[in-house]
Amino acid sequence: MKPSGEAAAAAAPGAGPWDECFEAAVQLALRAGQIIRKALTEEKRVSTKTSAADLVTETDHLVENLIISELRKRFPSHRFIAEEAAASGAKCVLTRSPTWIIDPIDGTCNFVHRFPTVAVSIGFAVHQELEFGVIYHCTEERLYTGRRGRGAFCNSQRLQVSRETDLSKALVLTEIGPKRDPATLKLFLSNMERLLHAKAHGVRVIGSSTLALCHLASGAADAYYQFGLHCWDLAAATVIIREAGGIVMDTSGGPLDLMSCRVVAAGTREMAMLIAQALQTINYGRDDEK
Ligand SMILES: O=P([O-])([O-])O[C@@H]1[C@@H](O)[C@H](O)[C@@H](O)[C@H](O)[C@@H]1O
Ligand SMILES: [Mg+2]
Ligand SMILES: [Mg+2]
């Protein structure tokens, strides 16, 4: 079923203080998805950022500028944290002001290779609390939404996480992150090996952290962990997972720190703790200290 803004709004009935912002996010995600879907098959100008594996295209910039300019027109007092602005030096500071946290294309490496696992992610926080998240799987036309206290949905289907607590019965998702030096790769592979030694059914890397986190929210996977993602990968997906009944926390087992570039998420706290206890830390610094 094609997603629509009306379906997303109808899926979470009842007026709320941020309805207008939520509906703007939905419409912009759908519009961005059309641009990304069209550009997927076209020639691209590709640049690198923090590593040879950390790619960016003109479409990332075009989509991010479109989203921010449209939101600034409608909500001039709001603040923005966005991936490509941060790459150009903008500070990632989450204040108590209404703040949009944007990843214009999540899965840019997939996008460059025309691998159809790409999303646009728009999160929204007020008083430093995540209020809603919108993630649009551009090629499958799946609109994932979550609003604090009002449930999580894919198109108009309510989402519910897996209730699995046994790691030996779990499908675990992760992502590689942009660092490719030998020490980081050794730790990344060691973490994957630890989970396979613990008899996890499988470990999957799909190239988009936001869509992997949406799969978790839909119950199609039991856990997710990563070192090397960012607040714009996490913001929208965190609301969606929590509203689907899941847990999103720090890799230490403590509360999520949106700026820490690391996460463990799962359908149950038991599963999340089993994952966290198995992991060796890979240091990627903090978004708010770059
Ligand atoms: O850059 P992008 O495509 O928005 O986001 C990507 C993340 O979704 C992925 O989890 C991570 O491993 C990549 O390094 C990259 O950060
Ligand atoms: Mg991106
Ligand atoms: Mg991303």
Side-chain angles (χ1 to χ4, degrees):
M1 184 182 97
K2 275 185 178 292
S4 73
E6 295 71 30
W18 305 108
D19 280 3
E20 188 185 352
C21 294
F22 175 72
E23 282 151 26
V26 167
Q27 294 310 322
L28 281 166
L30 293 173
R31 192 170 156 196
Q34 283 182 325
I35 295 168
I36 295 164
R37 233 180 355 259
K38 179 174 180 300
L40 186 75
T41 59
E42 295 171 348
E43 286 308 306
K44 302 168 183 70
R45 281 199 313 278
V46 185
S47 310
T48 58
K49 295 188 292 187
T50 60
S51 76
D54 189 7
L55 307 180
V56 61
T57 72
E58 71 274 32
T59 307
D60 294 82
H61 289 290
L62 183 149
V63 167
E64 183 172 299
N65 293 338
L66 167 71
I67 292 171
I68 291 177
S69 62
E70 288 298 312
L71 291 172
R72 267 212 174 98
K73 269 190 266 179
R74 293 185 61 174
F75 312 107
S77 66
H78 290 189
R79 297 174 70 111
F80 297 88
I81 296 174
E83 178 175 8
E84 308 316 335
S88 303
K91 293 299 178 198
C92 297
V93 180
L94 185 59
T95 68
R96 291 174 56 79
S97 301
T99 304
W100 299 85
I101 307 171
I102 300 163
D103 189 339
I105 301 180
D106 185 56
T108 297
C109 182
N110 289 346
F111 175 70
V112 166
H113 291 271
R114 305 184 184 185
F115 187 81
T117 302
V118 291
V120 50
S121 181
I122 303 174
F124 184 68
V126 182
H127 298 151
Q128 297 171 313
E129 179 149 33
L130 293 167
E131 282 293 336
F132 64 71
V134 175
I135 297 172
Y136 184 38
H137 191 323
C138 310
T139 52
E140 292 191 0
E141 298 189 64
R142 291 174 188 269
L143 183 74
Y144 294 88
T145 60
R147 300 183 72 177
R148 189 164 64 89
R150 300 169 68 174
F153 298 84
C154 178
N155 294 350
S156 58
Q157 298 299 314
R158 186 177 279 271
L159 297 178
Q160 173 62 49
V161 292
S162 148
R163 305 314 304 165
E164 188 56 64
T165 57
D166 182 346
L167 183 49
S168 71
K169 295 179 182 152
L171 182 63
V172 182
L173 308 183
T174 187
E175 287 292 322
I176 303 170
K179 285 168 49 174
R180 291 291 193 277
D181 59 281
T184 297
L185 290 179
K186 187 173 170 63
L187 281 170
F188 171 78
L189 294 171
S190 165
N191 281 335
M192 196 178 270
E193 187 179 14
R194 286 159 173 251
L195 295 171
L196 293 171
H197 273 314
K199 304 284 185 281
H201 278 173
V203 181
R204 302 277 185 278
V205 178
I206 66 170
S208 164
S209 50
T210 63
L211 288 179
L213 290 162
C214 285
H215 289 313
L216 174 69
S218 69
D222 305 295
Y224 182 91
Y225 70 94
Q226 188 181 348
F227 298 93
L229 76 176
H230 298 280
C231 58
W232 46 80
D233 294 308
L234 269 175
T238 295
V239 184
I240 293 167
I241 290 170
R242 285 173 174 165
E243 289 302 317
I247 301 288
V248 185
M249 66 180 194
D250 185 67
T251 52
S252 65
L256 174 68
D257 175 349
L258 195 62
M259 298 292 172
S260 66
C261 297
R262 63 192 206 181
V263 69
V264 169
T268 62
R269 181 167 295 279
E270 295 87 340
M271 180 65 72
M273 291 306 291
L274 287 169
I275 297 288
Q277 287 155 10
L279 296 177
Q280 289 179 284
T281 295
I282 305 173
N283 183 11
Y284 270 91
R286 295 179 57 84
D287 285 327
D288 53 6
E289 290 177 357
K290 290 175 181 169

